[in-house]
Amino acid sequence: GNSVTQMEGPVTLSEEAFLTINCTYTATGYPSLFWYVQYPGEGLQLLLKATKADDKGSNKGFEATYRKETTSFHLEKGSVQVSDSAVYFCALANNAGNMLTFGGGTRLMVKP
Amino acid sequence: GAVVSQHPSRVICKSGTSVKIECRSLDFQATTMFWYRQFPKQSLMLMATSNEGSKATYEQGVEKDKFLINHASLTLSTLTVTSAHPEDSSFYICSAMASVGETQYFGPGTRLLVL
């Protein structure tokens, strides 16, 4: 079956530091890959996505590249802000695109 | 962008009562809606998938008689927690999708506390 594994948190960084949150997946076929962000007390917001190998999703300074050879979709940001503090979820959608499998989530804490 | 709302955002109820949670797609028609449950500091667990006009498909281990799902229109799905107990206390999140293969858009979640 499908599965998503992401690094455990919390990840604590100082403002303007470089961020990497690792995500690897197991899936049959060619899934779409997503990063969602959840701010405290809120639902999930789509941050970025990639639908095929070598695609790069990007939004709000975050980016992730769909690497089929390493089955990875690592999230990166060059300079984090305090407002980026949230929980980040990596997810994949199956071939039919109608069911999401989530990773365990990684809490990011950015200190001023 | 696509907006999904949930109501209520927070509810406290007594053990044994039933609670209904609404999920609405505000600016698009959703052929499919999903209901998730999230425990504190954990990931989302899919409870069921509902398609407009048909019965919901429940994930293994989810009691269909306890968590009643109705998807009566293309913009509304409801989750009713029947005879709620303290262990049902959780954060319930819905998502909606316009059609198969489209992006899922999530609601803001409903925090349920059963006393």
Side-chain angles (χ1 to χ4, degrees):
Chain A
N2 297 336
S3 67
V4 177
T5 302
Q6 54 183 115
M7 61 190 291
E8 289 190 23
V11 173
T12 303
L13 296 173
S14 297
E15 208 165 20
E16 299 184 1
F18 184 86
L19 168 71
T20 300
I21 300 178
N22 290 339
C23 171
T24 56
Y25 68 89
T26 302
T28 55
Y30 304 95
S32 294
L33 302 174
F34 305 83
W35 277 100
Y36 283 88
V37 58
Q38 184 179 33
Y39 297 100
E42 299 183 13
L44 272 67
Q45 300 176 27
L46 178 64
L47 182 59
L48 54 85
K49 68 178 183 180
T51 58
K52 62 183 188 296
D54 299 326
D55 268 3
K56 177 186 285 188
S58 61
N59 185 26
K60 300 180 180 179
F62 292 89
E63 58 181 35
T65 302
Y66 188 144
R67 301 287 188 199
K68 188 167 176 61
E69 63 276 12
T70 55
T71 62
S72 65
F73 193 54
H74 305 322
L75 182 69
E76 296 181 336
K77 186 174 185 181
S79 175
V80 294
Q81 305 300 313
V82 173
S83 57
D84 293 327
S85 298
V87 180
Y88 293 81
F89 291 94
C90 184
L92 68 82
N94 63 12
N95 297 341
N98 62 340
M99 284 185 63
L100 285 170
T101 300
F102 285 91
T106 302
R107 184 175 300 276
L108 170 64
M109 299 172 58
V110 181
K111 298 183 176 181
Chain B
V3 179
V4 176
S5 70
Q6 281 184 241
H7 178 80
S9 59
R10 182 184 294 266
V11 56
I12 301 173
C13 69
K14 292 181 179 180
S15 185
T17 61
S18 294
V19 174
K20 179 183 284 188
I21 303 170
E22 293 186 350
C23 176
R24 293 181 185 272
S25 55
L26 298 185
D27 51 3
F28 67 101
Q29 293 187 324
T31 57
T32 305
M33 289 185 170
F34 302 87
W35 286 95
Y36 296 84
R37 185 172 180 177
Q38 185 182 32
F39 291 103
K41 299 185 179 182
Q42 295 188 26
S43 190
L44 281 72
M45 300 298 295
L46 180 64
M47 298 175 66
T49 303
S50 81
N51 293 295
E52 186 265 339
S54 62
K55 290 184 178 180
T57 301
Y58 289 82
E59 295 300 300
Q60 193 171 8
V62 178
E63 299 176 58
K64 65 175 77 173
D65 294 331
K66 180 165 186 62
F67 298 99
L68 301 178
I69 292 172
N70 183 285
H71 192 162
S73 77
L74 286 171
T75 60
L76 172 65
S77 176
T78 60
L79 167 68
T80 301
V81 183
T82 62
S83 186
H85 291 286
E87 57 265 30
D88 298 325
S89 299
S90 191
F91 195 48
Y92 293 88
I93 302 175
C94 75
S95 70
M97 185 170 66
S99 59
V100 172
E102 295 289 318
T103 298
Q104 284 187 38
Y105 294 95
F106 284 79
T110 297
R111 189 164 300 283
L112 170 63
L113 176 61
V114 184
L115 302 178

